[in-house]
Amino acid sequence: MIRRLLITLMAAFGVTVAHGQVKPNAPGADLIVHNAKIFTGNLAQPEASALAVKNGRIYSVGTDAEILALKGASTRIIDSRSRRLIPGIIDSHTHVLNESGYNYNVRWDGVPTLRQALAMLSEQSKRTPEGQWVKVIGGWSPYQFKENRFPTMEELRKAVPNHPLIVQYAYNRAFLNQAAMKAFGVGTDKFPALPGTEFEKDSKGNYTGIVDGYTFTYIAMETMVPQLTPAEEVSSLIQVVHNMNRFGVTSAVDAGNRGYPRLQANVDILARDNRFNLRMPFVDMQFGDGTPMNMVDAQINAITKTAPISPGDNLHPTLAHGLVYRGAGEVLHLDVHDHENFDRPAVIIPPEKWRELVDQDVTKLVQRRIPFRLHISYDENITSFLDALEGLNKKTPLNGLRWSIEHAETISAANIARVKALGGGIALDPKMALHGDGFIKTHGREKALLTPRLRKLVDSGVNVAMSTDAFRAATFNPWVGISWMVSGKSVSGSEVLAKDNRLTRSEALDLFTRRAAWFMHAEDELGTIAPGQLADFALLDKDYFTAPENQIKSIASVLTVMNGKVVFGSQDYSKLAPTLPAILPAWSPVKYFGGYYEAK
């Protein structure tokens, strides 16, 4: 009688009495890492030596004895051998999907001498097939080289005699050999007539191959070179993510690509097999087909008609914060893009242009509750934008809508306070680490030492984080930026940050972890090592907190875990790393040089 009553009650509440229909979790942790020096980022428990992971989340942090007691029959145990463990790095502004040509590029990131860089070009020239280009597109700086200079055109022509060659420095300058100039149509109507583009000529009036310009000059050139096949694009995406994982990066905000939804389809190919090893919320830009268009209208059309999606929707089938639409930007109108070319004077945009942008375009986003990000480098432009945004806020309140200024290199203390009052964020970047020497030549040392106002930004309480702004404007290695924030030195060794404008090591790391989580809408789940947090962390090859300052920029991960899964392993942990497919194409520079310089 009692048994029948129990069965009746369980049926009424939808509880099954059949055995084997629900597989219970196996007892014990899925993964335990012990014998570690853990920087938790959690004020309630700043340090620990071990952690346990279950179902993709951290569920216990403590001593080795406490955590090893949670071992079950199927638990994977990893001995860190007293290495430093940190939360997974969050890059709050980068351009992953725009880097679809990664496998075609010779990456000079981190190469210590120009001699080695030129040797890489010469070697690659010999294996590049006819019809293809030899390319170096961004991520490097002449100030990183021992020689502390740009290559000469003679050196470049000698290195690559038989293929079109483009070597691009950030979004500032490009070096083209004769074959590349011919292919681009330099000096003819074939080359896009974009404002600010200047072709250097010699004393006889001939083009030298050096092109100075702004962002859109180089974006246009990138569309005029051979493009990757769909399979090569997917292979490039795998390599981009793999090389980010190498530095402990587990999350990245894709801050504007060439138009949803085409490139997101490459992520879907990997996500379906649970092979996309990065949390990547994305912000979208729409460039259209070259005909006149309004970028915000095109954005609204893309997410309501082309491929309907709402802010906060996750396109990844299983991964939290995997491929989440986070709004519009970082460019909302081509007329208000104040290109951060530090080799040229600041681009100051008339205040009425900012007012027009806010009144006509930002208003549409606020009304539809679409978050937005806006590239603004210089304080004069930030002032004009905030003047207009404060006016909009009085008529149509932002009311908690997330928005941010990206880069903000020369932002003033007054404008930091205004951003905070409006509930916005500031996503900084490390361009001064790579290009600060150029900034000094253009704007002076005194201004450079306060660019950006790191100490003021951190102390103000505004939502602020550091990013890489990779892969063109700067390197994707976050440790270059961390080194600069701590030491105050650029990659050349020059002082580019005043002593009272630098950060402690924990503050600098905080800008790439806990504070960066706000820009993902994930501040309750990411950025620290604490129970309940998503299990993203990295074991480092050097102890960040004790390594000499000059070694910080060369730190890398030996074990990167994302969502409780090992996504990168080297040295003692190489056998734990996932097996990657063969790099496409077979002649790819990445196959032979890797995606980032590593001393042999």
Side-chain angles (χ1 to χ4, degrees):
M1 185 70 172
I2 294 174
R3 186 171 183 275
R4 288 179 184 173
L5 179 60
L6 286 172
I7 292 173
T8 301
L9 286 171
M10 286 191 289
F13 285 97
V15 180
T16 180
V17 294
H19 293 289
Q21 293 187 18
V22 178
K23 184 179 180 181
N25 283 324
D30 297 332
L31 171 68
I32 286 175
V33 180
H34 69 105
N35 191 18
K37 290 181 285 188
I38 301 177
F39 171 78
T40 67
N42 174 17
L43 293 177
Q45 189 183 18
E47 296 180 350
S49 63
L51 61 81
V53 173
K54 186 77 171 178
N55 297 328
R57 289 186 183 268
I58 297 167
Y59 87 98
S60 192
V61 180
T63 66
D64 285 3
E66 290 169 337
I67 301 305
L68 287 170
L70 304 174
K71 179 176 64 173
S74 59
T75 303
R76 169 179 277 178
I77 307 291
I78 294 178
D79 183 348
S80 80
R81 294 175 172 82
S82 295
R83 289 185 173 92
R84 176 65 65 181
L85 186 149
I86 64 168
I89 287 177
I90 301 169
D91 190 339
S92 62
H93 178 120
T94 187
H95 296 278
V96 175
L97 295 183
N98 271 357
E99 202 52 32
S100 56
Y102 188 81
N103 283 6
Y104 276 16
N105 289 332
V106 178
R107 299 298 306 186
W108 276 359
D109 303 57
V111 176
T113 71
L114 179 58
R115 179 185 59 80
Q116 289 171 278
L118 291 168
M120 291 166 70
L121 286 187
S122 180
E123 180 183 331
Q124 183 59 35
S125 179
K126 295 178 176 65
R127 72 168 62 94
T128 300
E130 186 177 351
Q132 291 289 348
W133 290 47
V134 177
K135 301 192 302 176
V136 180
I137 307 293
W140 64 281
S141 164
Y143 308 110
Q144 79 192 38
F145 298 137
K146 181 181 178 181
E147 297 88 341
N148 198 27
R149 66 173 176 85
F150 287 106
T152 66
M153 284 307 309
E154 182 180 354
E155 288 171 328
L156 293 172
R157 292 188 189 104
K158 182 179 179 181
V160 184
N162 300 316
H163 293 279
L165 167 72
I166 176 171
V167 174
Q168 181 179 315
Y169 167 52
Y171 284 116
N172 298 18
R173 178 176 296 179
F175 300 82
L176 312 174
N177 66 5
Q178 196 64 39
M181 285 194 287
K182 182 178 180 181
F184 279 145
V186 171
T188 73
D189 292 339
K190 179 181 176 182
F191 196 92
L194 292 166
T197 305
E198 297 177 2
F199 296 96
E200 183 184 271
K201 293 183 179 180
D202 62 20
S203 59
K204 297 179 180 179
N206 299 315
Y207 292 110
T208 65
I210 297 176
V211 183
D212 291 304
Y214 292 122
T215 308
F216 302 124
T217 299
Y218 306 106
I219 291 176
M221 286 197 291
E222 187 63 16
T223 67
M224 299 168 69
V225 300
Q227 302 298 300
L228 283 72
T229 67
E232 290 168 347
E233 274 196 1
V234 172
S235 180
S236 281
L237 181 59
I238 291 170
Q239 289 301 315
V240 166
V241 173
H242 169 71
N243 279 282
M244 293 172 75
N245 292 157
R246 171 184 167 185
F247 291 109
V249 178
T250 54
S251 297
V253 179
D254 194 53
N257 53 71
R258 294 173 187 163
Y260 168 79
R262 190 188 80 79
L263 291 174
Q264 282 78 7
N266 288 336
V267 178
D268 184 58
I269 292 171
L270 301 178
R272 280 177 290 176
D273 296 329
N274 197 29
R275 293 192 298 127
F276 188 64
N277 297 329
L278 188 72
R279 302 185 199 275
M280 196 184 73
F282 68 95
V283 181
D284 188 49
M285 284 188 289
Q286 294 288 330
F287 283 113
D289 59 3
T291 57
M293 59 166 286
N294 178 290
M295 294 180 73
V296 170
D297 287 344
Q299 173 73 192
I300 293 169
N301 185 70
I303 67 169
T304 59
K305 297 178 182 177
T306 304
I309 189 173
S310 298
D313 284 355
N314 188 357
L315 298 177
H316 195 294
T318 58
L319 183 64
H321 306 286
L323 188 61
V324 182
Y325 172 60
R326 288 299 180 196
E330 65 179 297
V331 179
L332 299 179
H333 198 292
L334 299 184
D335 287 348
V336 292
H337 190 74
D338 67 343
H339 318 265
E340 71 292 353
N341 184 336
F342 294 159
D343 296 331
R344 290 183 169 189
V347 175
I348 307 303
I349 295 162
E352 58 269 21
K353 286 284 187 182
W354 293 105
R355 196 174 307 113
E356 182 180 314
L357 171 77
V358 171
D359 291 346
Q360 295 184 12
D361 296 319
V362 175
T363 298
K364 298 172 188 174
L365 298 173
V366 175
Q367 289 172 340
R368 290 166 175 79
R369 308 304 294 168
I370 298 174
F372 62 93
R373 292 171 166 233
L374 195 56
H375 172 126
I376 318 180
S377 296
Y378 299 106
D379 191 59
E380 297 88 338
N381 296 322
I382 293 172
T383 296
S384 296
F385 169 68
L386 292 177
D387 288 345
L389 190 65
E390 286 168 344
L392 170 62
N393 188 51
K394 291 176 182 177
K395 297 181 295 183
T396 308
L398 294 167
N399 195 27
L401 181 71
R402 295 211 179 182
W403 65 277
S404 60
I405 294 174
E406 311 295 289
H407 312 313
E409 276 89 359
T410 65
I411 190 168
S412 63
N415 281 336
I416 293 169
R418 295 172 77 189
V419 172
K420 182 181 178 183
L422 288 168
I426 299 171
L428 302 168
D429 66 63
K431 293 191 192 78
M432 289 295 288
L434 280 88
H435 316 310
D437 298 73
F439 187 98
I440 289 172
K441 294 174 186 176
T442 306
H443 302 283
R445 178 174 296 278
E446 185 177 349
K447 190 167 187 176
L449 295 176
L450 294 175
T451 301
R453 297 175 184 269
L454 282 178
R455 173 49 54 200
K456 183 67 178 179
L457 283 155
V458 169
D459 292 345
S460 71
V462 72
N463 298 306
V464 62
M466 186 54 67
S467 73
T468 65
D469 196 20
F471 287 68
R472 310 298 174 81
T475 180
F476 61 91
N477 178 0
W479 295 99
V480 171
I482 291 172
S483 173
W484 157 70
M485 289 188 282
V486 171
S487 70
K489 295 179 180 179
S490 73
V491 291
S492 73
S494 300
E495 183 185 37
V496 292
L497 275 179
K499 288 185 178 179
D500 61 359
N501 194 30
R502 301 172 194 172
L503 303 183
T504 67
R505 297 195 189 205
S506 59
E507 287 173 331
L509 185 58
D510 203 39
L511 290 186
F512 264 118
T513 52
R514 184 184 63 86
R515 298 187 76 150
W518 183 87
F519 293 82
M520 291 182 61
H521 301 232
E523 57 267 42
D524 295 330
E525 295 187 287
L526 285 171
T528 62
I529 303 294
Q533 293 272 294
L534 291 163
D536 295 4
F537 52 87
L539 277 179
L540 305 180
D541 63 354
K542 301 180 187 72
D543 188 341
Y544 164 62
F545 289 98
T546 60
E549 279 188 355
N550 64 0
Q551 293 184 18
I552 293 175
K553 64 184 178 184
S554 64
I555 288 174
S557 175
V558 293
L559 179 79
T560 303
V561 173
M562 192 276 298
N563 209 46
K565 179 180 73 171
V566 175
V567 295
F568 176 85
S570 66
Q571 297 182 21
D572 302 340
Y573 310 103
S574 57
K575 291 182 179 179
L576 301 181
T579 302
L580 299 179
I583 297 173
L584 299 176
W587 55 268
S588 167
V590 175
K591 179 178 178 180
Y592 297 92
F593 302 124
Y596 192 96
Y597 174 79
E598 186 173 8
K600 304 300 183 185

